[in-house]
Amino acid sequence: MAPLVWLVTGTTSGIGRALIEHIVSRGDKVIASGRKIEERLGSLKSESLALLELDMTAGPAAMADKVKEAWSIFGHIDILLNNAGMSAMRTAEESDESYISKMFTVNLFGPMQLTQALLPYLRAARSGAAAAPARIGFTSSSTAWTPLPFMAHYAASKAALSAYVEALHKEVAPLGIDCVAFECGGFPTHLGQPRAEGETAFASESSGGIAAYAPGMAALGGMFMADPMAFMPGDLGKVAVGMVDVLKREGVAAGRPWAVRVLFGSDAFDSVRQKCDEMLRLTGEWKDVSYGTDRDGYAHVTRREYLEFVSILEGGK
């Protein structure tokens, strides 16, 4: 099989750096993208690894130009992995527009714009009956299910991202394009750190000036600081292998049906399982209230075709 061509964002450190190294080791080609990419990864360039300067806040027009440039590097792209992201802790009350806008742009709007720009290329390349499926992956977070206090905007951006991926897959799977959200638990990455030299880390500003929130912030921060690695069980090398396996349908993913949302990390699994159990209990306890808002005479039976469209297992088939 000919080498696949990947476009990966956020590759200068953390999961992204581990990803591009593993992709090349598997015999594929990768376009590694990020800010100041030549400065940070110039030594890695090879016949199999190209670099693309890309800022996730650049906007739709710039994204379209970058996709055109990326497509021309190896002549096509088979897999897009939207990995770039940012994180921080700050109270919702003290979060200004700049903070909120950057969080959602990097974690949600940027990946959406890049994906939107690439989709016409992927559709056209899959117009033939024998064309192999294209794949689009997104690095999301288990906090999409289980938001932490003082990380409301991060969790909200990732929840929106995972919802977008699930709906997008249902739209494009019939066209030969599969999508997946990788909902990661704790990994030793640079999330929460400055995105470039000279920037301030949002996390370092998180305490703010409202004393009423200080006890809660201290309790959460103290939990993490007491034993940081206890809350970062993930291994960067292993998550890179897992992501590549899923997107190539090899290794741990071989023989499994396509999954639109995949959890990485025991902490992700345990916290999401707890959330699902709690949601079943909560919805059950309030079922009479939910049903009570239906119009008089309605049979309280949701149409099967609607449930198929919203199913995480059947949607997109």
Side-chain angles (χ1 to χ4, degrees), residues 6 33 39 41 47 64 77-78 97 105 129 144 148 151 169 176 185 191 203 208 210 217 219 244 256 289 295 301 304:
W6 299 60
S33 69
E39 174 185 327
L41 298 182
E47 292 184 356
I77 294 170
D78 300 292
E97 182 59 29
T105 299
L148 287 163
M151 297 186 72
H169 176 74
L191 281 178
I210 302 178
M217 182 74 76
V244 175
R256 298 178 189 262
V289 177
R295 65 179 182 273
V301 177
R304 174 60 190 171

Side-chain angles (χ1 to χ4, degrees), residues 75 121 218 227 269 315:
Y121 293 83
D227 187 3
F269 181 92

Side-chain angles (χ1 to χ4, degrees), residues 93-258:
E93 185 175 345
E94 296 169 288
S95 299
D96 58 24
E97 182 59 29
S98 174
Y99 170 85
I100 297 169
S101 177
K102 181 169 284 189
M103 183 74 71
F104 274 82
T105 299
V106 174
N107 289 349
L108 177 64
F109 302 138
M112 290 170 64
Q113 292 162 0
L114 182 62
T115 300
Q116 186 177 28
L118 184 60
L119 279 172
Y121 293 83
L122 297 180
R123 284 192 298 102
R126 266 94 202 144
S127 60
R135 305 209 167 104
I136 308 175
F138 299 76
T139 300
S140 187
S141 168
S142 61
T143 60
W145 297 80
T146 58
L148 287 163
F150 311 111
M151 297 186 72
H153 297 99
Y154 174 74
S157 68
K158 291 298 189 179
L161 180 67
S162 288
Y164 166 77
V165 174
E166 192 174 329
L168 177 66
H169 176 74
K170 294 171 184 177
E171 294 182 20
V172 300
L175 310 180
I177 305 169
D178 293 323
C179 302
V180 57
F182 298 116
E183 295 172 323
C184 300
F187 286 83
T189 69
H190 290 140
L191 281 178
Q193 300 303 310
R195 298 186 68 236
E197 185 178 351
E199 289 187 359
T200 302
F202 281 133
S204 68
E205 305 175 47
S206 59
S207 59
I210 302 178
Y213 294 113
M217 182 74 76
L220 181 65
M223 179 186 74
F224 287 122
M225 293 303 295
D227 187 3
M229 295 308 294
F231 301 98
M232 294 188 290
D235 180 282
L236 293 178
K238 290 182 178 180
V239 76
V241 173
M243 288 181 175
V244 175
D245 277 353
V246 169
L247 288 166
K248 295 191 70 170
R249 306 294 294 272
E250 297 177 352
V252 299
R256 298 178 189 262
W258 185 260

Side-chain angles (χ1 to χ4, degrees), residues 54-63 105 113:
L54 178 63
D55 186 343
M56 299 307 294
T57 67
M63 288 292 188
T105 299
Q113 292 162 0

